[in-house]
DNA sequence: CCCTGAATTGGGACTATTGTCAATATTGAA
DNA sequence: TTCAATATTGACAATAGTCCCAATTCAGGG
């Protein structure tokens, strides 16, 4: 959107890009260790660059966190995409379940994802993207009853977000992820029985 | 949770509580004027108290913003509650539409609401509360097909949040609020035709 | 191959803001 | 009036974010 350093053109520039990766990697480590009290000072110390350099790559502290989260989310999405699951509904169920279980297992990550909702560009990038792909194929295969219009996408993404939120708040039950996945499938037009079955299957094989 | 000064016991203490209201009021003014670049210094200057006093009432800057947002949301909810609308479905449609239109009209407010999602206690308080009331009556009147279980609540709240988000990002259409309301009603079990009608009615009378 | 100039990145001192704390002032009750 | 509890204050420490200058890199022309 704003800058998005695309396609480093020269090999020199490409080498410079390493600094950004250093910062993101350092951010990930610091975030993992100190949870949410992440400090720019910590990160630059860990990455072994100066304070000023940090702001050459990120507008503010949150933008680094966002980058870390995006990388994390992408790793998850990539893992989901590697599975050769044909049925879009089943793929959706598995990807969503994977995300919810990950959120439950790693609270820091979950909180970061939640914060992303309140950020300008965040999340339209990660969460939605990996959902949109599944949603697009559904109707073509007669799996879902509606195309992935904006509102449907909002609703499914919103369900995931609010479910993560519920888990972070500790107001969840053991079957919260499964119920959320069931809801998501039903929202997409999968009938009740099948939605239950797919969600249960995903919960069994991933949980 | 932590302290929560509840029920001022003496009239003197009650008088002291005025400081908090001063701060929230000042926060509202500053927020309205300087948008998001709100500063604690600005607020304490506006409220005419010292820096230290601020932190007697709020753990950090965001907590004040949260309080301001909560007050705002509550005002909205109160306005909705005053209307003598019997039908829970219609009431839900109107309240939700009101919120979405408000978000569209006041971007600062919308952004603040979005940030609330990523905060510890925020939002479970405001958005959910005013929805829950409507959701609870629906089944009793045979209006909705399901009780307000956690997942349903998550899904409706999530839809509202993501719709606000879409509007803030500028990726909305003129009929985005109406479509979101329709979706919300359908999620609650209202049939398609009726959902359309109620959403349209709400859009007409409030827009 | 080596200059040169433009452009980009790195550095770190500096400013601004947030958040802490111990001392002080105010309040309510006895 | 005195005491205990609580609110207020402003100086202080920690952290975020800015800015300008030095170092590096690249392209192009001797």
């Amino acid at each position: 959107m704003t800058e998005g350093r695309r396609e480093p053109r020269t090999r020199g520039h490409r080498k410079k890009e390493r600094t950004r990766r250093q910062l993101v990697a350092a951010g990930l480590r610091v975030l993992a260790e100190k949870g949410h009290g992440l400090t720019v000072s910590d990160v630059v110390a860990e990455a072994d660059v100066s304070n000023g350099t940090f702001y050459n790559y990120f507008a503010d502290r949150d933008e680094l966190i966002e980058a870390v989260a995006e990388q994390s989310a992408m790793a998850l999405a990539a893992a989901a995409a590697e599975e050769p699951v044909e049925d879009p509904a089943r793929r959706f169920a598995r990807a969503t379940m994977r995300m919810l279980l990950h959120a439950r297992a790693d609270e820091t990550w979950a909180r970061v994802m939640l914060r992303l909702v309140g950020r300008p560009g965040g999340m339209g990038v990660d969460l939605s993207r990996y959902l949109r792909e599944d949603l697009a194929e559904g109707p073509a295969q007669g799996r879902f009853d509606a195309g992935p219009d904006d509102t449907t996408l909002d609703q499914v993404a919103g369900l995931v977000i609010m479910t993560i939120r519920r888990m972070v708040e500790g107001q969840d039950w053991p079957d919260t992820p499964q119920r959320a996945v069931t809801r998501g499938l039903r929202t997409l037009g999968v009938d009740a029985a099948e939605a239950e079955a797919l969600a249960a299957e995903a919960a069994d094989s991933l949980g």
Side-chain angles (χ1 to χ4, degrees), chain A:
Chain A
M1 306 306 165
T2 45
E3 23 63 85
R5 67 203 70 259
R6 62 191 70 262
E7 301 296 330
R9 281 153 312 197
T10 76
R11 63 181 182 286
H13 283 162
R14 201 164 348 196
K15 190 181 174 194
K16 286 288 184 59
E17 282 303 298
R18 200 164 46 102
T19 306
R20 173 179 242 268
R21 281 198 297 276
Q22 278 177 19
L23 282 167
V24 174
L28 183 60
R29 286 195 294 273
V30 174
L31 208 57
E33 183 188 350
K34 310 191 66 169
H36 207 296
L38 172 146
T39 261
V40 175
S41 319
D42 292 337
V43 175
V44 297
E46 176 81 20
D48 198 44
V49 298
S50 81
N51 175 294
T53 298
F54 178 92
Y55 289 96
N56 257 336
Y57 289 93
F58 304 98
D60 55 25
R61 204 188 60 136
D62 283 356
E63 202 168 290
L64 168 74
I65 297 182
E66 188 175 320
V68 171
E70 182 168 329
Q71 199 191 39
S72 251
M74 281 310 171
L76 250 192
E82 285 208 355
E83 298 186 309
V85 177
E86 282 304 315
D87 181 3
R90 173 173 285 116
R91 208 163 58 222
F92 166 83
R94 290 179 64 85
T96 306
M97 180 62 72
R98 205 185 280 271
M99 181 169 233
L100 293 177
L101 292 177
H102 191 267
R104 170 177 275 167
D106 183 349
E107 185 176 328
T108 296
W109 183 83
R111 287 186 186 278
V112 166
M113 290 302 283
L114 285 182
R115 278 184 71 148
L116 243 54
V117 178
R119 294 280 305 175
M123 174 89 23
V125 204
D126 35 63
L127 182 55
S128 290
R129 176 176 302 170
Y130 101 104
L131 285 177
R132 196 184 294 270
E133 189 174 308
D134 281 339
L135 298 183
E137 280 188 29
Q141 302 196 12
R143 214 61 178 86
F144 305 144
D145 69 0
D149 67 354
D150 290 349
T151 323
T152 304
L153 198 68
D154 285 347
Q155 189 160 28
V156 175
L159 172 62
V160 173
I161 286 299
M162 294 307 277
T163 303
I164 291 178
R165 184 192 164 76
R166 179 175 295 278
M167 297 193 303
V168 167
E169 299 276 327
Q171 298 181 348
D172 61 322
W173 297 82
D175 66 343
T176 292
Q178 184 171 336
R179 282 171 59 184
V181 170
T182 304
R183 261 283 171 186
L185 287 166
R186 297 215 50 195
T187 299
L188 296 173
V190 176
D191 72 73
E194 186 130 12
E196 288 274 6
L198 285 170
E201 178 201 307
D204 283 346
S205 70
L206 296 172

